[in-house]
């Protein structure tokens, strides 16, 4: 038996119910993992609200770390007793124990604690594929400006640090002056409070009128139009989230008029489609964390039974950095 969080219908945080579930033996290609910590992500909100619909009843949670209890047939890269972490489908990490497809589960290096592992996999692998693989046609070189929205959030604080390590000038946006200071303290070259300032005008100032080569936008509806104004000709609009709501349909002609812009909508799950790709990206993340170049800031901890409050705080923009659910 295991405690787990489920929803019976899409809706508000009050739909998150703690239930007892039976966890069986892992089938072919699966492992059973006993979590020591679970990561909270904005995608969990989309799953709960139904922006990304799930079959009911639905388990929630996409990120966790713990000890492998048992492995199913055909699993060769993990064994019982291994420390492990993952960020992947299917939802269900808000639980003490669960079954999980082994493909995207990685051994967690001894030097990385369970809470850090649980906090960093989804957000860190996302920062990895954005900054290393989601690039404008002419690539990114040290010294280039990039614009990164929600820079004081979970993905954002990792991206600030990683961009600095790559020599990029990251311009971060955030929803308060305090959050802007946090982004700057974590390596952002500039920070803009987009609740009080016109971020497109500031980006033009900072870049001497040229604009940036790429915008990484997870805010969606509220930032889309102005983000396009921030790009230089042939720049890349990389949209990867909808914290403020989904981007409205748009006419491609606008991209021509604004300078032959490129648009891509990226998702982590395409990048971690294979065991080899997942491990390569995780190795890159583990290395940058173990080197100290990227620190995983766990700014909020909630007991699993307080998951409703955790969701309320995340949606209300009260959190910064990473959030974990703890299991006693
Ligand atoms: N496509 C992918 O592969 C992928 C993977 C991971 C994450 N994501 C996306 O990346 C984003 C960041 O994820 P995260 O888990 O690290 O969350 P987060 O950044 O810690 O939290 C979301 C942040 O978005 C900002 N925001 C702006 N407008 C908002 C609004 N109307 N309501 C709520 N928040 C708003 C808030 O920061 P401010 O107050 O500073 O504005 C808030 O703290 C999310 O949109 C998520 O869906 C996408």
């Amino acid at each position: 038996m295991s405690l787990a969080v489920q929803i019976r219908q899409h809706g508000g945080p009050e739909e998150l119910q703690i239930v007892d579930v039976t966890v069986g033996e892992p089938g072919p290609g699966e492992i059973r993992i006993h979590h020591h910590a679970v990561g909270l992500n904005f995608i969990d909100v989309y799953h709960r609200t139904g922006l990304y619909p799930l079959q009911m009843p639905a388990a929630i949670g996409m990120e966790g770390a713990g000890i492998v209890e048992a492995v199913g047939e055909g699993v060769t890269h993990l064994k019982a007793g291994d420390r492990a972490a993952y960020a992947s489908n299917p939802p269900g990490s808000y639980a003490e124990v669960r079954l999980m497809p082994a493909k995207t589960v990685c051994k967690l290096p001894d030097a990385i604690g369970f809470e850090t592992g649980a906090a960093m996999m989804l957000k860190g692998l996302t920062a990895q594929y954005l900054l290393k693989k989601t690039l404008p046609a002419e690539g990114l070189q040290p010294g280039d400006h990039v614009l990164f929205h929600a820079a004081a959030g979970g993905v954002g604080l990792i991206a600030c640090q990683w961009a600095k390590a790559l020599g990029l000038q990251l311009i971060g946006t955030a929803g308060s002056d305090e959050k802007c200071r946090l982004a700057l303290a974590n390596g952002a070259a500039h920070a803009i409070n987009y609740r009080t300032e016109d971020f497109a005008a500031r980006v033009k100032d900072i870049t001497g009128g040229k604009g940036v080569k790429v915008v990484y936008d997870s805010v969606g509806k509220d930032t889309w139009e102005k983000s396009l104004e921030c790009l230089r000709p042939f720049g890349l609009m990389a949209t990867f989230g909808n914290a403020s709501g989904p981007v409205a349909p748009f006419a491609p002609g606008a991209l021509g008029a604004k300078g032959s812009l490129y648009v891509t909508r990226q998702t982590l799950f395409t990048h971690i489609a294979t065991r080899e790709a997942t491990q390569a990206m995780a190795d890159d993340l583990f290395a940058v964390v173990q080197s100290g170049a990227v620190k995983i800031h766990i700014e909020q901890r909630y007991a699993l039974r307080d998951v409703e409050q955790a969701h309320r705080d995340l949606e209300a923009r009260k959190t910064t950095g990473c959030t974990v659910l703890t299991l006693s």
Side-chain angles (χ1 to χ4, degrees), residues 58-256:
I60 302 288
M62 300 289 280
E63 190 179 39
I67 300 275
V68 177
E69 284 189 341
V71 304
E73 195 189 316
V75 177
T76 54
H77 70 287
L78 293 168
K79 61 181 186 317
D82 280 347
R83 304 171 76 254
Y86 65 89
S88 182
N89 277 311
S93 71
Y94 291 7
E96 292 169 321
V97 181
R98 75 172 297 187
L99 299 178
M100 182 70 202
K103 186 172 84 166
T104 51
V105 182
C106 298
K107 267 192 198 174
L108 187 63
D110 288 342
I112 300 179
F114 287 120
E115 285 199 353
T116 301
M120 75 180 193
M121 291 298 282
L122 203 145
K123 302 160 199 83
L125 294 178
T126 300
Q128 199 274 354
Y129 85 70
L130 288 173
L131 294 172
K132 299 268 184 98
K133 299 183 188 170
T134 308
L135 305 176
E138 53 191 301
L140 286 176
Q141 285 78 41
D144 279 345
H145 287 103
V146 303
L147 177 61
F148 206 104
H149 289 305
V155 178
L157 279 191
I158 295 174
C160 286
Q161 298 172 76
W162 210 331
K164 184 174 184 190
L166 293 170
L168 300 172
Q169 302 274 313
L170 183 145
I171 305 171
T173 59
S176 73
D177 292 346
E178 199 179 328
K179 287 185 179 185
C180 285
R181 283 192 286 276
L182 191 58
L184 290 170
N186 279 278
H190 305 270
I192 305 169
N193 180 343
Y194 53 8
R195 290 213 207 200
T196 57
E197 295 178 85
D198 177 344
F199 72 80
R202 277 291 310 280
V203 166
K204 282 280 155 64
D205 281 352
I206 291 166
T207 59
K210 287 184 179 164
V212 294
K213 283 187 174 176
V214 54
V215 178
Y216 297 107
D217 188 345
S218 66
V219 172
K221 179 171 70 67
D222 288 356
T223 44
W224 173 261
E225 283 295 335
K226 279 212 164 158
S227 291
L228 295 177
E229 289 172 30
C230 296
L231 286 162
R232 61 167 69 183
F234 305 110
L236 174 66
M237 177 70 186
T239 168
F240 69 103
N242 348 255
S244 68
V247 175
F250 67 93
L255 304 176

Side-chain angles (χ1 to χ4, degrees), residues 40-43 46 52 122-123 126 129 150-156 173-176 179 194-195 218-219 222 240-245 265-269 314-321:
L40 187 78
N41 291 282
F42 220 89
I43 192 171
Y46 308 144
Y52 299 171
L122 203 145
K123 302 160 199 83
T126 300
Y129 85 70
V155 178
T173 59
S176 73
K179 287 185 179 185
Y194 53 8
R195 290 213 207 200
S218 66
V219 172
D222 288 356
F240 69 103
N242 348 255
S244 68
R265 177 41 161 110
Q266 292 283 310
T267 173
L268 173 63
F269 307 113
L314 182 61
E315 277 183 285
R317 305 166 78 164
K318 288 184 180 165
T319 64
T320 55

